[in-house]
Amino acid sequence: MSKIRGRFAPTPSGLMHVGNAWTALLAWLQTRSQSGQFVLRMEDIDGPRCRPELAAAALADLRWLGLDWDEGPDIGGPYAPYTQSERIRLYEAAMDKLLEHGALYPCFCSRAELLAVASAPHGLSSEGPTYAGTCRHLSPEQQRIRSAVKTPSMRFKADDSASIRFEDGISGSQVFPPGAGGDFVVRRADGIISYQLAVVIDDAAMKITDVLRGADLLDSTPRQLLLYEALGLPAPRFAHVPLLMGEDGKRLAKRHGDTSLAGLRAAGVTPERIIGWLAYLAGQLNRFEPLTAAELISHFKPHLIPKEPITIHDSLMKQLYN
């Protein structure tokens, strides 16, 4: 049996925080506990939001935590480059293939028009309201006329004839109804390739077998599976871990205090304390105790990871500092 290949793919649009570290650690443990190969990829395709100095800081923070990788933007590897902004030609080739197969169509809907249907039921909660298919049946002449005054985005024609099923490594069996979420954007009107297409191309090209990521991306999986199928690419196994939440029920963020790794480091918190704290939250330890990431490898049990979001109370955060 071939070794598994896992990955962690941060977006360098902000400082790494404990929520990022949570996902990175569990993805790393999943791979290292099976003697697999771990890949680090920088998902900076949304250029206006991403900065090179934040990408460099992310690498430094992960190394400080004790995580390593076999392939990545700083060390290279057989599937380089490992930075999305350097892989645009691969995404364009995939776009061409999808266009040849008639799987895409131009969408001229404005942001205001899309917001106007925001009260519609959400097919996939993390993706916003289901697209109504307004531009799907435009004639070539209608497309030509509209293209003269507006640059369109490109949408994928989601199959609305069959349910999408997959087994999630954390959440179990998943079933999404036909056409869940509607037709989705694969290239924005400003020319930026969507996360959905880029991640599929990259994971397939890098031969990733196992994707462990946050539960906020569970709803993206059906769309990605449709793209894998349309492009004739093998899909990886998926596992979605719960998010760390503040006491207000919202995803842990700056409003809950400084949870950045840089801030914790400046406050004198050791990487061993952060690793032990995250391992405790993940059900890998019966009680909180500092330890290294490497010490966790032989004890990693994915079935113990909670399935529900984890609320970080003030008392839990204080454990990091005491």
Side-chain angles (χ1 to χ4, degrees):
M1 184 177 179
S2 59
K3 287 185 177 181
I4 77 162
R5 286 176 59 82
R7 52 82 162 171
F8 179 61
T11 298
S13 58
L15 291 173
M16 291 277 291
H17 52 76
V18 292
N20 303 130
W22 160 260
T23 308
L25 174 64
L26 294 177
W28 185 83
L29 287 170
Q30 180 195 53
T31 301
R32 292 298 188 224
S33 66
Q34 299 180 65
S35 301
Q37 296 171 312
F38 195 64
V39 176
L40 184 70
R41 183 173 71 236
M42 202 58 63
E43 296 194 339
D44 66 341
I45 198 167
D46 192 346
R49 294 178 56 237
C50 300
R51 304 207 307 268
E53 62 270 25
L54 291 173
L59 298 181
D61 282 341
L62 291 168
R63 281 215 166 87
W64 176 70
L65 281 178
L67 306 185
D68 64 348
W69 43 94
D70 303 292
E71 303 165 27
D74 55 338
I75 59 176
Y79 306 107
Y82 292 88
T83 299
Q84 282 189 335
S85 58
E86 300 174 30
R87 300 174 61 81
I88 302 300
R89 61 180 180 81
L90 296 175
Y91 312 142
E92 292 176 343
M95 288 282 298
D96 290 342
K97 186 174 182 179
L98 291 171
L99 281 167
E100 289 172 12
H101 292 168
L104 305 180
Y105 65 87
C107 175
F108 303 91
C109 294
S110 66
R111 184 179 296 273
E113 289 170 325
L114 294 174
L115 288 175
V117 297
S119 60
H122 287 203
L124 295 174
S125 59
S126 66
E127 297 289 344
T130 298
Y131 180 62
T134 307
C135 296
R136 184 168 187 169
H137 303 294
L138 293 178
S139 68
E141 178 64 11
Q142 289 173 315
Q143 291 178 0
R144 184 188 66 78
I145 293 172
R146 297 192 184 198
S147 292
V149 295
K150 186 181 189 303
T151 300
S153 61
M154 295 299 294
R155 288 186 181 271
F156 178 83
K157 295 178 181 177
D159 182 6
D160 57 4
S161 63
S163 298
I164 301 173
R165 303 169 182 269
F166 65 95
E167 189 70 21
D168 188 84
I170 301 294
S171 302
S173 297
Q174 301 294 307
V175 181
F176 288 81
D183 300 342
F184 54 94
V185 172
V186 293
R187 187 179 68 200
R188 295 179 351 195
D190 60 6
I192 293 179
I193 297 294
S194 76
Y195 161 77
Q196 306 292 3
L197 180 61
V199 74
V200 164
I201 298 306
D202 288 343
D203 282 343
M206 295 177 185
K207 301 189 184 308
I208 301 300
T209 64
D210 291 78
V211 171
L212 185 150
R213 58 190 182 184
D216 54 324
L217 293 171
L218 178 64
D219 289 344
S220 290
T221 309
R223 296 179 170 190
Q224 291 166 20
L225 290 173
L226 288 175
L227 286 171
Y228 278 113
E229 182 178 10
L231 291 164
L233 299 171
R237 293 178 288 266
F238 292 96
H240 292 84
V241 297
L243 300 181
L244 303 186
M245 313 292 281
E247 291 186 271
D248 57 0
K250 296 180 180 180
R251 189 168 166 176
L252 206 62
K254 288 181 180 178
R255 60 180 168 271
H256 301 114
D258 188 358
T259 62
S260 71
L261 297 183
L264 292 171
R265 186 176 187 175
V269 179
T270 66
E272 291 80 11
R273 290 194 72 85
I274 296 173
I275 293 296
W277 185 74
L278 293 172
Y280 171 65
L281 294 179
Q284 305 303 303
L285 296 176
N286 293 325
R287 59 185 176 83
F288 167 64
E289 60 177 300
L291 77 172
T292 67
E295 289 174 313
L296 277 174
I297 293 174
S298 61
H299 303 290
F300 181 60
K301 296 179 176 61
H303 68 276
L304 295 179
I305 297 174
K307 292 178 170 55
E308 300 300 323
I310 299 169
T311 300
I312 307 300
H313 301 282
D314 286 344
S315 57
L316 269 178
M317 279 301 297
K318 287 176 181 177
Q319 284 184 332
L320 282 173
Y321 297 93
N322 295 336

